[in-house]
């Protein structure tokens, strides 16, 4: 066993999760995944990676790929991911994963891929223009997990079918070549789905309905001011319905219980308008995110902080991947 693996002993299990490099993270990214990742690193062996190869399935232009990777990892570090506790690395820096992807693709029936919900969605959206990378996405995803012998994958309920497919692929591969890989288990996370400032769609940079974690207080206030509120509240004197208002939904994440109670009562009694309500929300968001923003500024002033974290993580991830692939090649029977 390597020193890196010895350092990770005594934990519950090995987690693997990743994110496409989309640059600066928004509050949907934080509550949807990042916050959970930070909490898991004290209990599990955590491997978190930048999914830059996966990103190519939908990217038409890769000119910002490197910048977006650095910006995203900087947010990870500022949010509390610790390179001393977790392995932070870049997918493309461990090319062994693409080799394993090739071998797994040889034992994965097309029918398995065609029944994945995301395949059907992409087929409807792209038709004959759907690229091979999108079709084989779940196979590469499986390789990402098992090349590090990860046994746990934190996901939302909508992602469980992907983990189940990974388990099927592992069973098929192990059945053909021997018990090499553990079957990964889904670790369900109770992550709220954050609706964007448009009040309709999930928060997304592509839809430009997001609020960045690293935004300035002024930028945050400007974004909050654009938020949709209760559509039935046409005038300030109309009683509001906080339970259908996206501004109030964010109050529940960022504001104190006292502020939430105050806003709920004032809104339902029409003693506060939507503009005032948004001002209160912007204040709460800025106060909550200030420690993160301060930490990020500190990290930005440290030369090579992202490069160093990724260099160490890439080396740890690659050492495990190399050992795994030696085992895989021997099990398949390739000439030495």
């Amino acid at each position: 066993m390597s020193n890196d693996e010895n350092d990770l002993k005594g934990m519950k299990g090995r987690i693997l999760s990743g994110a496409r490099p989309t640059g600066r993270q928004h509050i949907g990214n934080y509550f949807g995944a990042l916050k959970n990742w930070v909490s898991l690193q004290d209990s599990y062996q955590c491997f978190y990676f930048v999914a830059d190869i996966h990103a190519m399935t939908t990217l038409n232009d890769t000119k910002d790929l490197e910048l977006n990777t650095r910006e995203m990892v900087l947010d990870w570090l500022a949010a509390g991911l610790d390179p001393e506790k977790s392995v932070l690395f870049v997918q493309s820096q461990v090319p062994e994963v693409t080799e394993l992807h090739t071998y797994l693709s040889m034992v994965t029936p097309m029918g398995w891929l065609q029944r994945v919900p995301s395949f059907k969605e992409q087929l409807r959206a792209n038709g004959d223009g759907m690229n091979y990378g999108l079709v084989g996405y779940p196979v590469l995803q499986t390789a990402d997990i098992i090349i590090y012998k990860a046994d746990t994958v934190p996901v939302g309920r909508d992602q469980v079918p992907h983990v189940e497919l990974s388990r099927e692929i592992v069973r098929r591969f192990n059945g053909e070549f021997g018990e090499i890989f553990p079957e990964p288990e889904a670790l369900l996370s109770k992550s709220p789905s954050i609706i964007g400032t448009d009040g309709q769609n999930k928060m997304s940079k592509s839809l430009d309905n997001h609020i960045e974690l690293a935004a300035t207080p002024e930028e945050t206030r400007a974004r909050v001011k654009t938020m949709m509120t209760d559509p039935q509240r046409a005038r300030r004197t109309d009683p509001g319905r906080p339970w259908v208002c996206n501004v109030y939904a964010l109050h529940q994440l960022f504001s104190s219980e006292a502020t939430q109670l105050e806003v709920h009562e004032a809104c339902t009694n029409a003693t506060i308008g939507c503009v005032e309500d948004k001002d209160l929300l912007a204040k709460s968001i800025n106060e909550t995110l200030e420690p993160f923003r301060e930490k990020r500024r500190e990290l930005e002033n440290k030369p090579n902080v992202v490069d160093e974290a990724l260099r160490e993580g890439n080396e740890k991830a690659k050492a495990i991947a190399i050992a795994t692939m030696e085992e895989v090649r021997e099990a398949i029977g390739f000439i030495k």
Side-chain angles (χ1 to χ4, degrees):
M1 182 178 289
S2 70
N3 288 334
D4 290 333
E5 289 186 283
N6 274 317
D7 291 341
L8 293 170
K9 289 175 69 178
M11 310 292 268
K12 283 206 271 188
R14 182 170 291 182
I15 273 180
L16 188 287
S17 193
R20 297 184 181 209
T22 54
R24 290 189 173 193
Q25 301 290 274
H26 53 68
I27 60 178
N29 299 135
Y30 179 73
F31 287 103
L34 189 49
K35 182 180 180 181
N36 189 43
W37 288 5
V38 172
S39 68
L40 290 171
Q41 65 183 349
D42 288 323
S43 303
Y44 290 83
Q45 306 167 18
C46 292
F47 286 65
Y48 298 127
F49 72 100
V50 179
D52 55 347
I53 301 176
H54 283 301
M56 293 182 66
T57 59
T58 53
L59 275 183
N60 296 318
D61 188 345
T62 60
K63 66 181 177 62
D64 293 326
L65 201 53
E66 183 175 356
L67 174 62
N68 285 343
T69 294
R70 295 180 188 281
E71 288 289 314
M72 184 170 77
V73 174
L74 190 58
D75 279 347
W76 287 4
L77 297 173
L81 286 187
D82 185 350
E84 296 297 318
K85 297 179 179 179
S86 299
V87 178
L88 310 180
F89 66 102
V90 179
Q91 185 184 28
S92 63
Q93 294 299 302
V94 188
E96 289 76 11
V97 75
T98 58
E99 181 186 356
L100 180 56
H101 166 232
T102 300
Y103 302 155
L104 295 180
S105 71
M106 304 303 179
V107 301
T108 304
M110 268 299 294
W112 290 6
L113 300 176
Q114 289 173 326
R115 72 170 188 245
V116 174
S118 58
F119 171 85
K120 297 171 184 175
E121 293 168 9
Q122 291 292 346
L123 187 61
R124 282 194 293 268
N126 299 292
D128 291 339
M130 185 174 179
N131 63 50
Y132 167 77
L134 277 172
V135 176
Y137 179 95
V139 185
L140 179 55
Q141 190 174 59
T142 302
D144 288 321
I145 298 166
I146 66 176
I147 199 167
Y148 307 107
K149 302 291 183 77
D151 51 35
T152 308
V153 185
V155 292
R157 193 167 296 278
D158 61 328
Q159 291 295 311
V160 170
H162 290 88
V163 180
E164 287 301 316
L165 177 56
S166 292
R167 290 169 59 82
E168 288 187 81
I169 295 172
V170 168
R171 282 195 292 271
R172 173 67 68 90
F173 191 88
N174 285 348
E176 292 282 344
F177 304 110
E179 294 295 320
I180 300 173
F181 299 112
E183 291 185 28
E185 298 276 357
L187 178 66
L188 287 176
S189 57
K190 297 179 180 178
S191 303
S193 180
I194 308 301
I195 302 301
T197 55
D198 58 7
Q200 298 178 0
N201 300 292
K202 187 176 179 180
M203 189 170 285
S204 165
K205 292 188 80 170
S206 63
L207 296 175
D208 196 26
N209 64 355
H210 62 292
I211 299 172
E212 289 183 349
L213 295 171
T216 65
E218 293 74 24
E219 289 169 341
T220 301
R221 279 193 289 271
R223 284 282 182 173
V224 171
K225 283 183 179 179
T226 68
M227 289 182 67
M228 295 293 294
T229 55
D230 180 357
Q232 290 188 20
R233 195 177 187 196
R235 297 176 298 275
R236 190 185 188 285
T237 53
D238 294 335
R241 300 174 300 163
W243 53 92
V244 301
C245 178
N246 196 32
V247 173
Y248 187 72
L250 290 188
H251 270 300
Q252 292 175 299
L253 294 174
F254 288 99
S255 299
S256 66
E257 288 187 12
T259 299
Q260 292 177 43
L261 190 62
E262 173 190 341
V263 168
H264 190 283
E265 184 176 347
C267 180
T268 53
N269 291 302
T271 58
I272 188 175
C274 294
V275 172
E276 299 161 88
D277 188 8
K278 291 177 181 179
D279 286 340
L280 285 172
L281 175 60
K283 181 174 182 291
S284 293
I285 293 175
N286 284 327
E287 288 176 351
T288 301
L289 293 182
E290 180 50 33
F292 164 87
R293 292 167 176 173
E294 183 178 355
K295 178 67 174 178
R296 196 183 199 278
R297 289 191 292 268
E298 289 175 7
L299 292 171
E300 281 181 305
N301 291 325
K302 293 181 179 180
N304 304 318
V305 65
V306 169
D307 288 342
E308 187 61 23
L310 291 178
R311 183 190 64 77
E312 293 179 6
N314 290 340
E315 288 179 358
K316 292 177 182 178
K318 190 172 179 66
I320 295 172
I322 288 173
T324 298
M325 292 313 299
E326 288 176 354
E327 186 181 358
V328 167
R329 293 186 207 106
E330 182 176 354
I332 291 174
F334 288 135
I335 190 169
K336 296 179 182 178

